[in-house]
Amino acid sequence: MSVLGDAAAKAKGAAQQVMKKAIEVAPDSWMPGGRPDPLIRRQHGHVGQPVSRLDGRVKVRGEARFAAEVPMANLTYAALAYSTIPKGRMTGIETAAAEAAPGVVLVMTHRNMPRLNPPPLFMTASKAAAGDDIPVMQDDRVYWNGQPIALVLAETQEQAEHAASLVTVTYNEESAVTSLAAGKAQGTEPGSFQGEPLKIDIGDAEAALAAAPHKVDVAYETPRHNHNAIEPHAATLAWDGDNLVVHDCSQGVAHVAWSMAQVFGLKEDQVRIHSPFVGGGFGGKTMWSYQVLGAAAAKLSGRPVRIALSREGVYRSVGGRTLTEQRVALGAQADGAFDAIIHTGTVAMTAHNALPEPFIVATRSAYAAGTFKLDVEYATLDMIANTFMRAPGEAVGTFALECAIDELAVALDMDPIALRLRNEPEKDPTSGTPFSSRNIVEAYRAGAERFGWAGRRAPGQRREGDWLVGMGCATGTYPYYRMGGGAARITLHSDGRALVGIAAHEMGMGTATASTQVAADRLGLAMDQVTFAYGDSALPGEVLAGGSQQTASIGASVMAAHQRLVGELLKLAGNDSPLAGLKPDEVESADAGLRCVAAPDRFESYASILGRAQRDEVTVVAEAPPPLEMQHWSMHSYSAMFCEVRVNAVTGETRVSRVLGSFDCGRILNPKTARSQFRGGIIMGIGLALMEETQFDERKGRIMNPSLGEYLVPVHADLPVIDVIWNDIPDPHAPMGAHGIGEIGITGTAAAVANAVYNATGKRIRDLPITLDKLM
Amino acid sequence: MTPFRYARATDVTDAVRLADGGARYLGGGTNLVDLMRETIERPAALVDVSGLPATIEAHDGGLLIGAAVRNTALAEHPAVRARYPVLARAILAGASAQIRNMATVGGNLLQRTRCAYFYDEEGSRCNKRVPGQGCDAIDGFNRIHAILGASPACVATHPSDMCVALAALDAIVHLHGPDGTRTVALTDFHTLPGERPDIETVLAPGELITALALPASPLAARSTYRKVRDRASYAFALVSVAAAIDLEDGIVRDVRLALGGVAHKPWRATKAETALRNGPATEAAFRAAAELELADAAPLAGNGFKVELARRAIVATLGELTGETA
Ligand SMILES: Cc1cc2nc3c(=O)[nH]c(=O)nc-3n(C[C@H](O)[C@H](O)[C@H](O)COP(=O)(O)OP(=O)(O)OC[C@H]3O[C@@H](n4cnc5c(N)ncnc54)[C@H](O)[C@@H]3O)c2cc1C
């Protein structure tokens, strides 16, 4: 960065600090959520009902068309060839055999690939969606082992795959950094996340630690993880002149449309992304090379393209969670009060992405302490860009933090729940802002009672046959996020039907269902009168299904659109209406119409208002306000995770026999879909604890288990019945009083498992996964 | 996948004729098709033998099992469950219900290793795929690899569960080839890697597995299978133990013991068997026998735990069969 740029950045940074301070000290009423959402008070609506998924029927009947199933005339099928070295240049690519193979339409390499702009890297612009900013197949450079180096289009998938296997490449290999040790030897850099440094120093934590009468100072490690959504990444796409239509599996349709437009030098509205169904995203379904390669091949061949990555293809060309080495040191008084919290460490990253797994995020707000030292450093490796994976930072960060607390509880001879509650902060311990809603104490009380925590014994004391039985607990926490850019369109028809449109996503979480419930309550309509349209970049809003923020983003957007709709309707109602003279904030929607809040018998139905105005419909679009509430309050979801494990004394095999998640996540919009979300997160947490691990061969930077046969995730037999409870206490400052809940379930779970393993066996396993060899 | 010809055999002679010494036989395809998709196997022709007789018949006091019998059918067969429980349990400990429904007895015998470097056709060296190329597993990820009978050329394991039980049961493999028929003991069927890890069995080109014979075995009624793995189901064995025992007054009259996940072939633990025979059925004796069997174990950087795990699994399995707890 130039000196000038540096100065400009500093000035910008200073301005941001001033803004931040101003938002913190501004009156509550100026903030979004400063006046609680009226829906929070509404008791007997659709919100809170266990409505079955609206898309359940089409899914179980196989009628839901996923990206790789969209039919198109004259379709061609793509297959990729991948590099086998981590770094260097391709000196030759032999494509003749592939070109001559049956059914081949096109062989594309950097030699004939259209010249394109680099993909916009995530978080460098509001709609930037790419996992890395390496230009896609633009030259002979190899940046990682597994990089796509050739694409074959053929008349069938099998022909394409066969031809792709005939492409041979020669390389001029360069020395690469493919181990964390080598990366660290080259020096580490301080990480930053969402524009903020991942470094906090409050007081002199090392000195406080040294002086503390009780302490633990321990190192934890977590391995790489790969994305394994049940639906591998796929797109079916076609050009219509200069316009591109992509049927994608996306958790950011507006983001991908904008980013693809940047790459191909188009206007944003020349790219249309459809993504009505996504078979799981978890942070991996953003923009990767496959969309770019597919669109480029379609351009070159003049035919529509289906590019469906194989499972191996996902491992090679889509990033995962990076590895971490973490130090957690806690200093405490005899009563458990923390004098120091130190949480530091190193992660691996590439020169082309910007996600240093932010494992300290949860630690920033979890506990009160006299001093803090938090720091994430990253080493730069030659590997596929790492990316977001369910609770990036929190999932692995809470493992280290919550295990260390368990270790300290042992050192203090204190109950680990009591130790946690002893350090319950009154306000956010590092930002100083007030909590919007924090009921973790209540969650622990309810959870401990239901789980039977009082029956826990000293480590190694409970044995049933060959099985050592133990209990553990941990706190899970995940921030409330709402990103800027949310917007929604509402079209209200004279027959009382409403169409609510927003460029949001249904990846199996239940968003379409819960959003319909919310919109129906917001509009005072029945569920079947509301259609929620989503998964289409032509709809308003930039609503990433990430950071568990969709619920809040959709909620705030629909709220804004509803306010505008009420204004429009009051105008249309005119002076002959029972509502005449009322202002928008004096009326509310109910019973398919508007009524005066203070005098509910002053009511007029939508049908009547529109009929008198001789209108068939009225349409409004509105944007959600900027998400200032996140800076004004410290907003988080919480869980008290309880786990019982059985560890085989002979073989070291661990089985999770009971799990309870006791959640404090604001108001639950739909208990049925919420329960599945919590359980899914917990299952992924159990996998994180016991088996998930990418085998990354550090000799050549190559992933060796790119398959669900060898990359283990929990199967049914690994899972007990997972008990889930929640307190349903609304967050007064969040739309609907609700938080997104997609990521909270995975946080804390791995630590609860590891702590239970300790309780069962007396052995501390500090490096994940907890495989049997570590317990033998 | 490389294009190939496909033919369906109607009977054994038809199959051998169609194969003409060159084609590969296709059972359920659960392993071969995977490997073809990975281009590790590139047969020019397949002869589908999944439609050949799939019967399980009484035979010399034992059973004769057609090579096309599906794994599920074998595990569920009443005679197998009653008289050879170790076999039923071993099969059910493997793969998933869907895969077992497809997989055949013949194919299970010939399934190939799960070594990651063997599977990585594009990016890794493997002497099993390309003789003389080198082995990336020896200094790489070798947690699942062999501790017994490996060679500098190859440290891969045979992944089958079923074959471990068959090794313990003295099963006989019936073969039919261009030069006629023959039988081979299962324990002689698979080979150790030596310098030619690409050769995995004694099968001659074009030879077809037609059946498996299970000899009468009074002690097999008291038999079991224990599989230790990284998750509760749907994972290959790190170590497995097939055991059958005949006890009289606390003395081991006879015993069969085989190990899985430890070698290039299902490992019949003959040294341990000899040590146990006519000795006391005590934990100490089990331990001593296990130690004897594992005395030659040569673990790699990533699988040292398997030696201790195998020892413990042997002791525990024998203990379970004899009522002794480990
Ligand atoms: C995800 C996964 C998990 C698995 N887990 C386990 C596990 O835990 N334990 C376990 O034991 N197994 C496991 N398996 C392997 C499974 O048992 C084998 O794939 C199966 O037994 C192979 O049988 P098949 O009939 O499908 O063989 P095919 O795939 O049809 O053939 C395999 C080989 O046998 C040859 N062949 C087939 N029939 C004959 C014949 N009659 N004569 C001569 N040659 C023949 C073929 O030419 C080929 O070389 C797993 C497989 C998968 C895919």
Side-chain angles (χ1 to χ4, degrees):
Chain A
M1 197 180 273
S2 68
V3 179
L4 212 80
D6 225 12
K10 276 213 182 96
K12 196 174 158 209
Q16 274 171 353
Q17 284 307 315
V18 172
M19 262 304 283
K20 198 173 159 202
K21 200 74 223 159
I23 295 166
E24 280 172 21
V25 302
D28 287 1
S29 61
W30 293 9
M31 293 296 127
R35 275 177 47 201
D37 180 354
L39 274 197
I40 294 175
R41 278 181 289 110
R42 180 106 31 116
Q43 283 310 319
H44 302 292
H46 308 293
V47 167
Q49 298 299 316
V51 179
S52 293
R53 281 164 200 281
L54 301 177
D55 52 352
R57 191 181 159 84
V58 291
K59 280 185 176 164
V60 296
R61 289 162 65 100
E63 290 166 359
R65 278 222 169 99
F66 287 79
E69 300 171 323
V70 176
M72 270 191 198
N74 205 22
L75 195 60
T76 58
Y77 297 81
L80 299 175
Y82 306 94
S83 76
T84 55
I85 63 157
K87 191 176 180 183
R89 288 181 183 275
M90 292 176 264
T91 48
I93 310 182
E94 191 45 69
T95 56
E99 272 150 10
V104 170
V105 174
L106 170 75
V107 179
M108 187 171 82
T109 68
H110 70 88
R111 294 189 302 230
N112 57 345
M113 174 90 176
R115 292 304 89 154
L116 301 173
N117 300 317
L121 178 62
F122 222 100
M123 295 193 295
T124 54
S126 74
K127 280 187 269 189
D132 66 62
D133 58 6
I134 297 173
V136 180
M137 218 179 261
Q138 295 294 300
D139 59 29
D140 59 359
R141 289 219 69 93
V142 174
Y143 295 88
W144 78 87
N145 197 329
Q147 175 184 322
I149 47 169
L151 175 149
V152 176
L153 276 191
E155 301 293 344
T156 69
Q157 187 67 48
E158 289 73 19
Q159 289 171 333
E161 281 168 17
H162 169 54
S165 76
L166 301 176
V167 175
T168 55
V169 184
T170 48
Y171 300 100
N172 203 340
E173 204 170 336
E174 293 165 18
S175 94
V177 179
T178 48
S179 74
L180 184 61
K184 285 200 297 189
Q186 302 215 336
T188 60
E189 309 246 1
S192 67
F193 181 57
Q194 294 171 330
E196 297 210 15
L198 287 167
K199 192 168 171 50
I200 292 178
D201 281 295
I202 298 176
D204 186 343
E206 295 288 0
L209 177 73
H214 301 275
K215 65 193 89 172
V216 293
D217 191 343
V218 271
Y220 299 91
E221 286 176 29
T222 64
R224 292 179 167 79
H225 298 134
N226 267 90
H227 277 292
N228 278 297
I230 191 69
E231 174 203 31
H233 297 59
T236 304
L237 50 84
W239 290 92
D240 176 8
D242 284 337
N243 293 332
L244 176 64
V245 177
V246 185
H247 298 270
D248 195 7
C249 50
S250 180
Q251 49 193 116
V253 285
H255 298 71
V256 174
W258 181 85
S259 299
M260 286 289 277
Q262 303 302 304
V263 172
F264 284 89
L266 302 172
K267 295 205 295 292
E268 187 175 1
D269 62 5
Q270 288 177 281
V271 181
R272 178 98 177 251
I273 309 289
H274 291 282
S275 189
F277 301 107
V278 183
F282 308 109
K285 295 264 175 79
T286 53
M287 184 163 133
W288 295 91
S289 56
Y290 76 97
Q291 294 111 320
V292 175
L293 290 168
K299 183 123 244 182
L300 278 187
S301 67
R303 289 179 61 180
V305 166
R306 172 163 305 153
I307 179 160
L309 294 182
S310 63
R311 184 63 64 186
E312 178 180 356
V314 177
Y315 278 76
R316 301 263 176 254
S317 70
V318 174
R321 196 197 300 279
T322 191
L323 76 175
T324 73
E325 286 181 349
Q326 305 176 49
R327 170 192 177 208
V328 183
L330 305 168
Q333 295 295 317
D335 67 353
F338 292 161
D339 293 334
I341 295 181
I342 297 174
H343 193 175
T344 59
T346 308
V347 303
M349 206 167 78
T350 73
H352 310 283
N353 75 300
L355 186 69
E357 188 77 12
F359 57 76
I360 60 160
V361 170
T363 316
R364 290 196 302 216
S365 314
Y367 299 100
T371 61
F372 283 87
K373 176 181 172 184
L374 311 178
D375 184 17
V376 177
E377 301 276 319
Y378 68 88
T380 304
L381 268 62
D382 296 305
M383 60 178 197
I384 177 140
N386 49 292
T387 193
F388 301 85
M389 184 183 292
R390 205 172 202 173
E394 292 84 0
V396 290
T398 56
F399 163 68
L401 176 66
E402 294 294 313
C403 284
I405 289 179
D406 203 68
E407 299 203 35
L408 181 65
V410 173
L412 287 164
D413 195 19
M414 227 176 138
D415 178 89
I417 299 179
L419 176 59
R420 290 183 171 92
L421 301 188
R422 172 67 188 75
N423 291 289
E424 181 63 12
E426 273 167 28
K427 56 182 182 159
D428 189 290
T430 59
S431 73
T433 49
F435 291 113
S436 64
S437 174
R438 180 172 166 122
N439 307 286
I440 179 72
V441 179
E442 158 65 17
Y444 261 113
R445 195 199 50 70
E449 188 182 313
R450 187 174 172 104
F451 193 71
W453 180 253
R456 191 177 78 122
R457 310 234 195 104
Q461 292 302 301
R462 207 176 134 200
R463 184 168 178 148
E464 292 173 13
D466 279 345
W467 295 91
L468 304 169
V469 187
M471 289 185 198
C473 71
T475 299
T477 172
Y478 191 82
Y480 160 97
Y481 283 121
R482 182 166 74 81
M483 298 170 192
R489 178 167 64 219
I490 302 177
T491 299
L492 184 65
H493 295 271
S494 55
D495 63 3
R497 282 179 307 111
L499 176 67
V500 178
I502 178 162
H505 313 85
E506 172 61 270
M507 310 191 292
M509 316 87 92
T511 305
T513 309
S515 299
T516 306
Q517 291 171 263
V518 170
D521 272 2
R522 188 79 69 200
L523 291 162
L525 294 173
M527 285 286 285
D528 60 8
Q529 290 175 299
V530 176
T531 304
F532 183 73
Y534 61 93
D536 178 350
S537 63
L539 291 166
E542 41 183 280
V543 184
L544 190 76
S548 297
Q549 71 101 31
Q550 262 206 155
T551 301
S553 179
I554 296 171
S557 303
V558 174
M559 202 191 295
H562 175 253
Q563 272 162 9
R564 184 156 296 167
L565 178 70
V566 170
E568 288 296 313
L569 288 169
L570 286 178
K571 268 190 242 159
L572 292 174
N575 292 331
D576 297 336
S577 166
L579 305 167
L582 292 173
K583 296 199 190 63
D585 58 2
E586 293 169 328
V587 299
E588 62 187 359
S589 283
D591 302 330
L594 295 181
R595 73 180 174 205
C596 172
V597 177
D601 49 347
R602 288 181 68 183
F603 170 86
E604 186 169 15
S605 72
Y606 298 141
S608 165
I609 297 170
L610 291 179
R612 184 151 22 77
Q614 297 186 323
R615 293 280 292 267
D616 288 337
E617 57 174 56
V618 54
T619 295
V620 295
V621 179
E623 281 174 22
L628 305 181
E629 72 272 26
M630 285 164 46
Q631 289 173 50
H632 188 72
W633 291 282
S634 179
M635 301 177 79
H636 305 267
S637 292
Y638 303 96
S639 72
M641 291 300 312
F642 294 86
C643 175
E644 180 190 85
V645 301
R646 306 163 77 81
V647 179
N648 192 289
V650 179
T651 59
E653 293 160 290
T654 298
R655 302 281 180 262
V656 175
S657 46
R658 289 198 298 137
V659 179
L660 166 68
S662 174
F663 290 93
D664 171 39
C665 300
R667 187 168 186 206
I668 295 303
L669 300 177
N670 179 332
K672 200 169 181 180
T673 52
R675 191 168 277 119
S676 292
Q677 278 284 82
F678 289 134
R679 287 198 177 128
I682 290 169
I683 291 168
M684 218 157 154
I686 292 172
L688 172 72
L690 297 181
M691 57 191 88
E692 272 199 58
E693 176 169 25
T694 302
Q695 291 173 354
F696 182 86
D697 191 322
E698 292 197 328
R699 295 172 300 176
K700 47 190 175 175
R702 191 161 174 87
I703 293 172
M704 295 313 303
N705 58 343
S707 127
L708 280 174
E710 336 298 323
Y711 181 102
L712 301 193
V713 298
V715 295
H716 284 289
D718 291 298
L719 301 169
V721 172
I722 297 172
D723 194 10
V724 168
I725 57 174
W726 54 80
N727 57 26
D728 218 14
I729 301 172
D731 182 337
H733 306 305
M736 295 86 67
H739 291 182
I741 54 168
E743 288 161 281
I744 179 74
I746 192 176
T747 71
T749 303
V753 173
N755 293 338
V757 166
Y758 172 75
N759 184 243
T761 63
K763 286 189 185 133
R764 273 293 165 201
I765 309 303
R766 301 191 179 95
D767 56 328
L768 295 182
I770 304 172
T771 46
L772 57 86
D773 46 302
K774 298 173 185 170
L775 287 167
M776 274 173 53
Chain B
M1 196 179 305
T2 306
F4 58 90
R5 294 191 312 281
Y6 172 89
R8 222 178 139 73
T10 51
D11 59 33
V12 167
T13 31
D14 185 40
V16 174
R17 186 185 54 80
L18 284 170
D20 196 19
R24 293 295 291 278
Y25 297 114
L26 178 70
T30 60
N31 190 223
L32 181 56
V33 175
D34 265 9
L35 292 168
M36 288 168 65
R37 294 195 62 181
E38 303 279 346
T39 65
I40 294 160
E41 302 261 26
R42 304 170 189 236
L46 290 185
V47 175
D48 188 339
V49 293
S50 64
L52 296 194
T55 53
I56 301 175
E57 294 161 9
H59 173 77
D60 271 357
L63 293 177
L64 189 69
I65 301 155
V69 169
R70 306 282 174 174
N71 286 189
T72 300
L74 185 57
E76 283 177 356
H77 195 275
V80 172
R81 293 179 55 153
R83 289 158 55 196
Y84 306 94
V86 62
L87 179 57
R89 283 180 197 160
I91 293 170
L92 293 177
S96 66
Q98 291 88 340
I99 290 171
R100 295 192 299 266
N101 288 344
M102 288 301 290
T104 61
V105 166
N108 194 318
L109 252 53
L110 292 178
Q111 64 172 297
R112 306 197 69 189
T113 186
R114 310 305 289 201
C115 171
Y117 300 91
F118 169 73
Y119 258 85
D120 184 23
E121 205 254 336
E122 298 93 36
S124 300
R125 294 176 309 151
C126 173
N127 289 320
K128 197 181 262 308
R129 266 191 284 104
V130 185
Q133 188 183 41
C135 168
D136 277 334
I138 287 188
D139 297 316
F141 289 105
N142 47 39
R143 176 177 157 76
I144 64 167
H145 288 69
I147 53 171
L148 290 167
S151 74
C154 183
V155 291
T157 53
H158 192 266
S160 170
D161 290 298
M162 184 183 87
C163 291
V164 184
L166 294 176
L169 292 171
D170 292 313
I172 307 288
V173 188
H174 288 227
L175 304 175
H176 189 128
D179 301 330
T181 63
R182 60 172 178 143
T183 58
V184 180
L186 187 112
T187 46
D188 296 331
F189 182 75
H190 299 95
T191 52
L192 288 176
E195 286 175 14
R196 290 297 302 275
D198 54 313
I199 298 170
E200 297 170 351
T201 67
V202 298
L203 209 61
E207 232 175 350
L208 175 75
I209 302 172
T210 55
L212 269 180
L214 288 185
S217 174
L219 79 169
R222 192 177 198 164
S223 66
T224 195
Y225 187 73
R226 177 149 184 176
K227 178 175 181 180
V228 185
R229 46 185 149 176
D230 277 327
R231 66 181 164 193
S233 172
Y234 202 44
F236 290 91
L238 290 167
V239 164
S240 69
V241 179
I245 202 157
D246 180 13
L247 266 192
E248 207 180 296
D249 300 331
I251 298 296
V252 177
R253 283 283 150 252
D254 202 359
V255 61
R256 299 282 183 281
L257 193 64
L259 304 177
V262 296
H264 198 253
K265 59 183 287 188
W267 190 264
R268 178 72 177 265
T270 43
K271 286 183 199 159
E273 287 180 8
T274 311
L276 287 165
R277 234 168 249 132
N278 300 317
T282 60
E283 195 190 318
F286 300 158
R287 190 174 306 277
E291 260 151 29
L292 191 65
E293 189 65 49
L294 294 161
D296 296 335
L300 304 158
N303 69 2
F305 71 96
K306 275 191 175 185
V307 183
E308 172 65 7
L309 184 61
R311 188 179 64 75
R312 292 188 189 186
I314 292 170
V315 174
T317 309
L318 293 173
E320 184 193 322
L321 276 181
T322 56
E324 289 271 333
T325 47

